[in-house]
Amino acid sequence: MHMSDALVSPAVFAATGAVSTALIAVAVRKVGRRAEDDADARQERHTVPMMGVMGAFIFAAQMINFSIPGTGSSGHIVGGILLAALLGPWAAFVTLCSVLVLQCLVFADGGFLALGCNILNMAALSCLVAYPLVFRPLMRRGASTGRIFTASILASVAALEMGAAAVTAETELSGITALPAGRFLLFMMPIHLVIGLCEGAATAAVLCVVRRYRPEQTADADSRATPSGRSAAKIAVTAALAALLLGGISRIASSDPDGLEWSVERTAGTPEPEGADGRLHRAAAAVVERTAVMPDYNASAAGVIGSGAIIVAALGISGILRSVRRR
């Protein structure tokens, strides 16, 4: 669902960029406050590293597109519901934002002008809307497997459908492509419904395993059940190894266009409609051209490198935060 710059006007770029920046500032402040509260200090010691390894896991998982039979399309998970269920909504939002920024600047996946749209459509709508409004009300402590699957699937479908509608609205408001909104939406909603069902099932499967073996890791766990240092280290190592493994096998992913590209092609007859070619669009393209060292994941080890970069960045940030707090 990564939008390209061809779909976004300067006005939509400015509006979504401002909202996304404000949400990130709020999220960082909320996550940071936990470090200032002695009661949450133990929890915080493992939250930031877990944000890193879970971000790496989601980054690698997003690279694995699965084919959707009978459509010629493919999909990949967004991961917002899973992250929020394990880290809490605000930490999950920051984590998913870091993944989207890395994908944009290093791998040219999603336009620079569209970054604000992508943050809202994928990170905000899943972590800050679908999770608290759909997932959490359906869950209970000690929930059954059936309830976990129900909550995960409904929340994932809600997040993907809201994101698909938001992409259509942002494209229509931009007004720089010839995509008729009604026809575009007609393709976007069903294909992302299927992707949401697949993501929900995958999310539930992971959560069932976590609740079985590491129930203290879930966001709704009793605060007294915070993982010990050794337990948190095991969780982090396991997630990091899984991320690197997913990054290594990402080369076998489907080559079919994803849900957004498929919808654009069915609506406009081409996978990438001709958009505006103004000064701002050219400047945004130049920024990504300078920063994207592996555009379109053209290196065989792109998944491993990206996953490792997120882990290293998170560990570095964690160290800085601890140093500042001690001072």
Side-chain angles (χ1 to χ4, degrees):
M1 199 186 291
H2 293 77
M3 294 180 70
S4 68
D5 287 344
L7 301 176
V8 181
S9 68
V12 170
F13 154 70
T16 56
V19 174
S20 297
T21 300
L23 286 175
I24 291 172
V26 172
V28 170
R29 186 171 182 179
K30 285 183 175 292
V31 174
R33 278 180 178 174
R34 298 180 66 181
E36 298 172 3
D37 188 343
D38 290 338
D40 289 332
R42 187 181 175 191
Q43 177 76 18
E44 185 274 337
R45 276 197 294 271
H46 87 281
T47 295
V48 176
M50 278 303 300
M51 288 169 63
V53 294
M54 288 307 302
F57 178 85
I58 294 300
F59 170 84
Q62 284 190 9
M63 292 182 63
I64 303 177
N65 281 42
F66 51 88
S67 294
I68 301 175
T71 65
S73 175
S74 68
H76 65 74
I77 73 165
V78 173
I81 301 301
L82 176 60
L83 287 174
L86 296 177
L87 302 172
W90 292 105
F93 177 72
V94 173
T95 302
L96 196 46
C97 285
S98 68
V99 171
L100 294 171
V101 171
L102 180 74
Q103 289 171 333
C104 173
L105 296 180
V106 178
F107 299 98
D109 188 5
F112 183 74
L113 292 185
L115 185 56
C117 293
N118 290 330
I119 286 174
L120 292 180
N121 301 343
M122 290 189 278
L125 289 177
S126 59
C127 300
L128 306 181
V129 179
Y131 173 77
L133 297 183
V134 180
F135 184 88
R136 288 194 66 178
L138 293 173
M139 289 295 290
R140 298 287 186 274
R141 192 165 295 168
S144 66
T145 298
R147 182 176 284 272
I148 292 173
F149 268 85
T150 299
S152 298
I153 290 174
L154 290 179
S156 296
V157 167
L160 268 292
E161 292 291 81
M162 287 189 292
V167 169
T168 306
E170 290 154 359
T171 302
E172 178 67 12
L173 289 172
S174 293
I176 60 175
T177 67
L179 293 174
R183 181 174 170 81
F184 189 31
L185 189 65
L186 187 63
F187 286 110
M188 285 288 286
M189 299 299 281
I191 200 69
H192 284 93
L193 169 62
V194 177
I195 296 172
L197 291 171
C198 295
E199 172 163 357
T203 297
V206 173
L207 290 179
C208 285
V209 172
V210 172
R211 281 178 173 267
R212 173 67 177 83
Y213 296 102
R214 298 294 181 191
E216 72 276 7
Q217 183 56 46
T218 56
D220 62 351
D222 192 318
S223 60
R224 293 170 296 180
T226 301
S228 64
R230 181 175 297 179
S231 175
K234 288 181 179 178
I235 296 169
V237 169
T238 301
L241 291 176
L244 295 176
L245 176 62
L246 286 174
I249 66 175
S250 61
R251 288 173 292 175
I252 66 174
S254 170
S255 59
D256 291 333
D258 67 15
L260 174 55
E261 294 168 341
W262 180 86
S263 299
V264 169
E265 186 172 6
R266 290 297 182 279
T267 306
T270 173
E272 188 67 42
E274 184 177 351
D277 189 29
R279 181 180 301 175
L280 188 59
H281 283 78
R282 291 194 296 271
V287 169
V288 174
E289 185 177 351
R290 286 194 296 268
T291 60
V293 295
M294 286 176 282
D296 298 321
Y297 308 97
N298 60 7
S300 60
V304 175
I305 293 171
S307 299
I310 293 179
I311 294 172
V312 170
L315 293 176
I317 293 172
S318 178
I320 292 172
L321 289 175
R322 291 178 186 176
S323 176
V324 170
R325 189 165 63 252
R326 282 195 294 267
R327 292 178 184 177

